[in-house]
C-alpha cells in the first residue's frame, strides 16, 4: 500500500489547483509520482516542468529517451517507472530483446550503436556515480554537448521521479506488470 494517497484537485487549496491542472494538461492525467508529489504542489509543478522538457521538448528519438529512462529505472529498481516507460519504449520501437536485457541488467552487453553507448552512460552514472572518459566521449561525439547535458538531465529527472515512487511505495497502477526481476 502506498505511504501517501494521491491528492485530488479538490483537496488542494484554490491557489494550488493550477499546478494540478498544468500536470494533467501536460500528461493527460495526474498519476504515478505526481499524485503523491502534489502533497507539495510547488515541488510537483517544478518536477513536472522539468519532466515536460526532458520528455517532450528534448529533440532526440523517443526510443532513445525511453531506453535511458528504463535503464535509470532498472538501476534503482523502480518497478513503476520501468513498467510505465517500458510500454512507451515498446511503442517507440525499442525491441523486446533490448527491454528484456535492460530489465535483467545484462545490457549494454548485446546492444550496439546508440543503444549501447546510452545504456552504458546511464549505468555508469547511476551505479558508479561517475562516467569513464571513453563513455563520456562516445556520447558527446555522437550527440554533441547540449544533448549530452540533456541526456544527463533526463537521467537525473528520472532518478528523482524514481526516488519519489520508491520512498512513498507508489504501487503499480491497474494493468501494469512488474518487469524487473527481483
Amino acid at each position: 500500500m502506498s505511504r501517501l494517497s494521491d491528492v485530488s484537485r479538490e483537496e488542494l487549496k484554490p491557489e494550488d489547483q493550477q499546478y494540478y491542472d498544468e500536470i494533467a494538461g501536460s500528461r493527460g492525467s495526474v498519476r504515478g509520482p505526481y499524485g503523491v508529489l502534489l502533497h507539495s504542489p510547488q515541488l510537483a509543478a517544478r518536477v513536472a516542468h522539468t519532466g515536460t522538457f526532458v520528455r517532450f521538448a528534448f529533440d532526440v528519438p523517443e526510443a532513445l529517451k525511453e531506453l535511458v529512462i528504463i535503464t535509470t529505472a532498472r538501476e534503482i529498481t523502480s518497478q513503476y517507472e520501468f513498467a510505465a516507460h517500458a510500454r512507451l519504449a515498446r511503442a517507440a520501437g525499442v525491441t523486446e530483446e533490448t527491454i528484456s536485457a535492460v530489465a535483467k541488467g545484462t545490457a549494454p552487453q548485446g546492444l550496439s550503436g546508440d543503444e549501447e553507448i546510452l545504456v552504458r552512460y546511464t549505468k555508469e552514472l547511476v551505479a558508479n556515480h561517475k562516467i569513464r572518459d571513453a563513455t563520456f566521449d562516445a556520447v558527446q561525439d555522437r550527440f554533441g554537448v547540449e544533448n549530452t547535458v540533456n541526456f544527463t538531465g533526463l537521467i537525473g529527472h528520472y532518478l528523482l521521479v524514481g526516488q519519489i515512487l520508491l520512498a512513498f511505495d507508489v504501487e503499480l497502477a491497474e494493468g501494469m506488470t512488474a518487469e524487473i526481476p527481483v
Side-chain angles (χ1 to χ4, degrees):
M1 186 162 143
S2 183
R3 290 183 169 144
L4 293 176
S5 62
D6 287 350
V7 175
S8 69
R9 187 179 191 283
E10 296 71 34
E11 292 174 292
L12 293 169
K13 297 176 194 171
E15 63 269 20
D16 290 336
Q17 291 179 351
Q18 66 179 344
Y19 302 127
Y20 186 100
D21 295 341
E22 289 169 7
I23 292 167
S26 67
R27 288 160 174 76
S29 67
V30 174
R31 61 191 178 281
Y34 295 102
V36 297
L37 272 168
L38 279 163
H39 285 276
S40 176
Q42 290 188 32
L43 177 61
R46 285 165 172 81
V47 171
H49 186 70
T50 302
T52 297
F53 173 76
V54 296
R55 284 272 316 284
F56 307 118
F58 173 23
D59 191 25
V60 297
E62 290 301 310
L64 297 179
K65 289 187 280 191
E66 294 301 334
L67 179 62
V68 167
I69 294 167
I70 64 171
T71 302
T72 303
R74 170 31 175 109
E75 290 303 301
I76 62 170
T77 319
S78 177
Q79 292 285 7
Y80 188 107
E81 189 169 68
F82 193 97
H85 287 277
R87 178 184 60 81
L88 296 171
R90 289 178 180 99
V94 178
T95 67
E96 201 58 48
E97 293 78 20
T98 297
I99 293 169
S100 179
V102 171
K104 292 176 186 171
T106 59
Q109 182 182 349
L111 303 182
S112 61
D114 293 347
E115 288 186 338
E116 188 274 333
I117 63 173
L118 288 172
V119 169
R120 184 174 310 284
Y121 185 89
T122 304
K123 287 182 76 160
E124 286 181 15
L125 181 58
V126 176
N128 304 333
H129 310 292
K130 61 187 285 181
I131 300 165
R132 293 180 308 113
D133 288 342
T135 303
F136 181 87
D137 292 345
V139 171
Q140 184 173 294
D141 290 348
R142 171 66 180 97
F143 296 102
V145 172
E146 184 175 353
N147 283 339
T148 300
V149 172
N150 289 340
F151 275 120
T152 307
L154 179 69
I155 295 164
H157 175 75
Y158 280 93
L159 284 171
L160 169 61
V161 169
Q163 296 302 311
I164 295 295
L165 291 164
L166 293 168
F168 298 108
D169 282 336
V170 176
E171 296 175 352
L172 294 175
E174 189 174 321
M176 294 174 84
T177 304
E179 297 191 48
I180 302 171
V182 288

